[in-house]
Amino acid sequence: DQPGRTLRQGDDSVMTSRLAHSPRRRAFTLIEALATLVLVGVVLPVAMRGVTVAMQGASRARHMTEATELARHKLTELSVTSTDPGSLNGSGDFGADYPGYTWTSTTTDRDYGMTEFTVTVAWKAQGQDQSVSLSSMFYVPSATSTTGATQ
């Protein structure tokens, strides 16, 4: 073919020769389609399992963060408002703001007049009981202690 040449009605041989040498579109064969389906069938479940594991990890991290903050707030609240260590023992929930979370507080006498105060926040996730505990130590002066005055 020469550039700039105009085709006339009787030049069918030029058109036929161009079509004969043009690249053909090729369809997928049955083997290629089956191989693709097998590959998708193997990769898709693995990818979905990875997404599931990632979502479970994110959920656990969110619950642990919330529970730790709730325990910290409850530990601070109870230790500031209570004057008697015995009144620190109790339990409850966090109301409508944090449904599904419950708390328990306990005190344990330790050596040297120290008392351990523990707040445990519990919740249920994926059918299993989960919890986080925070503790603090404080000194409770006894009624028999002296003020350091000497005679």
Side-chain angles (χ1 to χ4, degrees):
D1 288 345
Q2 298 158 350
R5 180 175 171 218
T6 309
L7 292 177
R8 287 176 248 147
Q9 269 185 340
D11 261 347
D12 288 339
S13 64
V14 173
M15 275 305 234
T16 308
S17 123
R18 262 193 201 156
L19 290 175
H21 296 304
S22 68
R24 281 195 226 162
R25 292 189 143 195
R26 195 170 86 92
F28 290 111
T29 64
L30 179 61
I31 297 295
E32 290 171 331
L34 289 176
T36 302
L37 286 174
V38 167
L39 184 64
V40 167
V42 169
V43 171
L44 192 60
V46 172
M48 292 308 293
R49 178 66 181 147
V51 168
T52 301
V53 168
M55 294 297 285
Q56 288 172 344
S59 174
R60 178 157 170 77
R62 182 181 59 81
H63 282 294
M64 289 293 287
T65 302
E66 282 182 349
T68 302
E69 280 302 305
L70 290 170
R72 186 178 65 82
H73 284 291
K74 187 55 73 174
L75 184 79
T76 302
E77 173 191 327
L78 291 175
S79 63
V80 167
T81 59
S82 179
T83 56
D84 176 29
S87 68
L88 294 175
N89 295 322
S91 62
D93 63 20
F94 294 97
D97 292 336
Y98 296 96
Y101 290 99
T102 59
W103 62 271
T104 311
S105 64
T106 58
T107 57
T108 308
D109 291 333
R110 299 294 181 193
D111 293 335
Y112 308 108
M114 299 295 289
T115 300
E116 180 180 16
F117 175 45
T118 304
V119 172
T120 302
V121 173
W123 70 96
K124 194 174 269 278
Q126 299 166 1
Q128 296 180 351
D129 292 331
Q130 307 283 324
S131 66
V132 64
S133 296
L134 294 180
S135 295
S136 181
M137 300 288 282
F138 58 92
Y139 177 72
V140 180
S142 65
T144 59
S145 66
T146 60
T147 59
T150 58
Q151 292 180 324

